[in-house]
Amino acid sequence: MSAQLENRSGVFSPARFALLLAGLIFAAFPQVLSGLETFVARDFGFFAYPAAHFQQECFQHGQLPFWNPYNNCGVPFLAQWNTMPLYPPSLIYLALPLEWSLGLFSLAHLWWAGLGMYFLARRWTGNDFAAAFAGTAFAFNGFTLNLLMWPSHIATFSWLPWVVLTAELAWRMGGRKIFSAGIVGALQMLAGGPETILLTWLIVTALWLQQLVQGETPRTAMFRRLPFVVVLVAALSAVQLLPFLDLVAHAQRETGYTDLRWSMPGFGLANFLVPMAFGSTATEGIFFQHGQYWTSSYYLGIGTLWLALLAVFGLGYEWWTIRVKQSSLASKPVSVFKSAITFCSDRVILLAVISVIALLCALGENSLIYPLLRKLIPQLSFITYPVKFVMVVVFAAPLLAAFALADFQKVKKWILPLGGILLLLLGGILFWMRKAPMPGDDTAAALQNGISRAGFLVLTGIFLYACSRTGKSPLLRCVPLVLVLIAWADVFTHEPRQNPTVPRSVYDPDLVRTKLAMKPQPERDGSRLMLSPEAALGLNRFATTNAMNNFLAKRTGYCANVNLIDHVPKVDGFFSLSPHEFDTLLTLIYSVGNGNWSRLEDFMGVSQTTVPGKMLEWQSRPDFLPLVTAGVKPVFLDDTNTLWSFGRNDFDGRKIVFLPPETKPFVTITNETAVRILRSDFSNGTADIEVNAPEKSLVVLAQSYYHNWKVTVDGEPADLLRANFAFMAVQVPKGMHSIYFFYRDDAFKQGWNITLTSLVICVAGLLFWREKT
C-alpha cells in the first residue's frame, strides 16, 4: 500500500470505526433498531423469540428457568445451553420490551463481531484501514447475517475474534491477559453455540501450534498458559456446562445421532461468486440453495474474496521465492523440513490451510474428507449440518483480505490476473445457470444477480487500482472509505433480505389463544393440545413467500414453540435436547401412521387436537384425563413391551400404569384403589398435590420424567418412579397426604460454586496481578 494511504489510515481509528460500523448496521436495519418492526423468519420466530418470552417471564417473577412445562410434556430449559439463560448480555432483552430488544440484542452482537475482527486484524497487520475492512467484512457477509435469526448463534459467533485475540495475548504475555482471556472465553461459552465454540478453539489451537513451532514466545510459558486459560474458561462456565453435560448424558443425542444432511452441495462453491446461483426464494422470500437449508448464504463479498486470494497467492508466492528458491532445497532435505516449518508458521498460510480444510468438511457427504473424519472421530457426529464448517472460512477471509491491504505493494501485481480469473469464473457460472438450470431456479433473477456481482467486481478493481496510486488528490483520501462502503453495499444487496421484518404485533401475547377460544382451554395445570402427526409434518413443510403471513399461519397451528407466547402447553416442541425416554416416545407418536395412540393421548391430558386433514383447525377431545391420576394398578413391563402396548392402544390410564420391572421391589401395590385427588397446583418447576387414599396407592403425574425431579410425601423424601415409559409416579401410604414434586438441579449448584470461585480468582487476578515491566 502506498505511504500516503498508510498515513491516512488514522481515519479508521477504533472509535471512528465503531461509529462507522454502527451506522452501517442502522442503515441496514433501521426499522428494527427504531422499534417499528421485528425479525420473524425461521428460528427467530419459532424458537428464539418464544424461548426469550418464557425466560423473560421467569426473570420478571424472580425465577431461573430450569424447566419448561409447556413443551414436550415438560423439558429442561436452562440445561439446553442455546436458550442463554445464564449469558449476562441477555439482560438486554430480559429487562426491555422483548419485541424490540431481542432484535437489538442480535444487532448489538453483529456490531460486536465486527469490532472484534477489527481489533484482531489491527493487531496482526498494524494497519487501521485493513482492520476496518476486515471488521466490516466479518460483520457483513451472508453467513453472519444469516445468524441473526438465532440470537444464540450470533452471540457466540461475535465472540470468535475476541477469543482468538485474547487467547493469543494470554500465551504471549501471561499475567492479567490470562484472566481476561478466561472471561472472554467464558462469555462465548455461556452464549451457547456448541459448534461455533468448538471451531473457535480449534482455530485457537492451530494458531497456538503455529506459534509454538515458530518459537517467538518461550515454549514452556506457552505450554503453561493456554491450558490454564482453557481450565479457567471451563470453570467460569461450569454453571452452564455441568447442567448441559448432565442433560446430554440423559438426552436423545449420542454418537451417530446426526447424519450428513445439509452439507454444502458441490455446486455451492459457485455461491461464493454468484450468491443466488442454484436455489429459490420459495420459503418466506429468503433465498436458499437446493439441498441445503441451514444458512441462506455464505457469500463473503466479491471484494473480500478477491483480496483474500490476493493475500494467499501474492504473499504465498513471496514466501516461495524468498524461502524456497534461494535455499537450494533440492539438495538439502533438512532445509526442506525447516522451510516447511516456516511455511506453516506464516499466518496467511495458516488461514489459507484451515479455510481449505473447513471447505472440504463443509461439503460433507459431497466430499470424501468429512465422512472419513467422522469414522476416525465419531464424536464429530454430534455436529449437525456440515455446512456449519464454512464459518471458519468466514473468519479467515476478512483477515486474509486485511493482510493483502496491509502489504498491498507485495500483492498488487496479482490484482489483474486474479480479477480476470474471477470474472471468467463468474461468467462461466452464469453460462452454466442459463444452459443447465435446476428445477426451481429463478434463472432471470440469478443472472441479474451475477451481473450485479460482476459490477461490484469491476468497481472494487477500480478502487484497488486507486490504492496503488500516489499523489495528493483529495479523491485518493476517500478511497479506503469507499472500498469499505462498496464491500458493505455488495453484501447488503447480494440477495433478497435474509432477515425480513414485520410489525411487532405478530408477537402479541395470547393472540391465537383469544382468536381460537378453545373449549376447554389448555392450561399449565389442566390439559394440553397436540398436533396430529400429519399436521406437524404439514406445518413443517408449509411455506409462503410472505414472512408475516407464514408466521401468523404457523402460529395458528402452534408450530414449534410459538405456544410459549400464548402460555399454551402442548405435547411436542422444538428443542435441541430432550430426555431420552420422552424423545423416544414422541418419535414413535409422530411417525405418521405408526399405531393408534388415543389412550396415551388421554393419559397425557390432550384436550385439543388438529382436525383430520387440516393443519390450522382444532377440535376438542372429551375423554382426556387430568394431569394427575391416582389409584391405578401397577403393571410391570419392560420398555419395549410398554411401547408396543401404547401403539396397539392396549392401555387405559384410568386403570393401570406401566412400571419398569426393576421398580417392583419398591412398589407394594397390586390393585386399583379409590383415591381422591383433593388439589393439584402446578408451577414451572413444581407440582403440589393433595390426595386422600384409603390404602397404599400410586399417584401418577403426566409430566415427562427427568432425573432432576424429586418428590416428597408429607415433607419426607420418597422414591420417584418412572411410569408409563416417560412419565412420573410416586407411591403414597394410606391416609391424606401432601405430595410435592420439585425440580432440583444439583449439577447447576455444583457449577455455581465452581463458577463463583473462579470469578473471584479472575477478579483478584485482574486487580492485584502485577505485570512485569
Side-chain angles (χ1 to χ4, degrees), residues 523-562:
E523 301 285 355
R524 181 176 59 187
D525 55 0
S527 64
R528 301 184 175 97
L529 61 79
M530 177 177 171
L531 285 79
S532 68
E534 294 80 8
L537 183 62
L539 283 172
N540 187 51
R541 293 176 175 175
F542 175 82
T544 69
T545 56
N546 183 288
M548 180 175 177
N549 293 339
N550 189 80
F551 180 75
L552 289 176
K554 290 191 173 186
R555 186 173 174 185
T556 302
Y558 283 119
C559 180
N561 296 342
V562 294

Side-chain angles (χ1 to χ4, degrees), residues 6 41 51 83 152 169 190 251 303 330 356 393 406 430 438 447 469 505 572 634 671 675 686 713 756 766:
E6 287 280 4
T83 50
S152 172
L169 289 173
L190 293 173
V356 171
V393 182
L430 296 181
M438 296 184 179
L447 289 173
R469 302 288 294 169
S505 59
D572 72 316
N671 294 300
V675 181
T686 65
V713 177
L756 187 59
L766 290 172

Side-chain angles (χ1 to χ4, degrees), residues 20 29 35 101 266 368 428 460 477 518 537 547 589 592 609 613 617 622 632-633 637 658 698 714 741:
L20 172 64
F29 304 101
S101 58
L368 299 176
T460 301
R477 298 176 184 176
M518 294 178 175
L537 183 62
I589 292 173
V592 177
T609 189
E617 293 186 26
V632 290
K633 176 183 177 180
L637 207 60
F658 292 132
L698 285 170
D714 300 326
F741 291 87

Side-chain angles (χ1 to χ4, degrees), residues 40-50 149-151 284 294 574:
V40 73
R42 300 184 74 210
D43 284 7
F44 190 95
F46 295 108
F47 175 80
Y49 187 92
M149 64 178 272
W150 293 293
E284 300 176 75
W294 186 78
F574 177 42

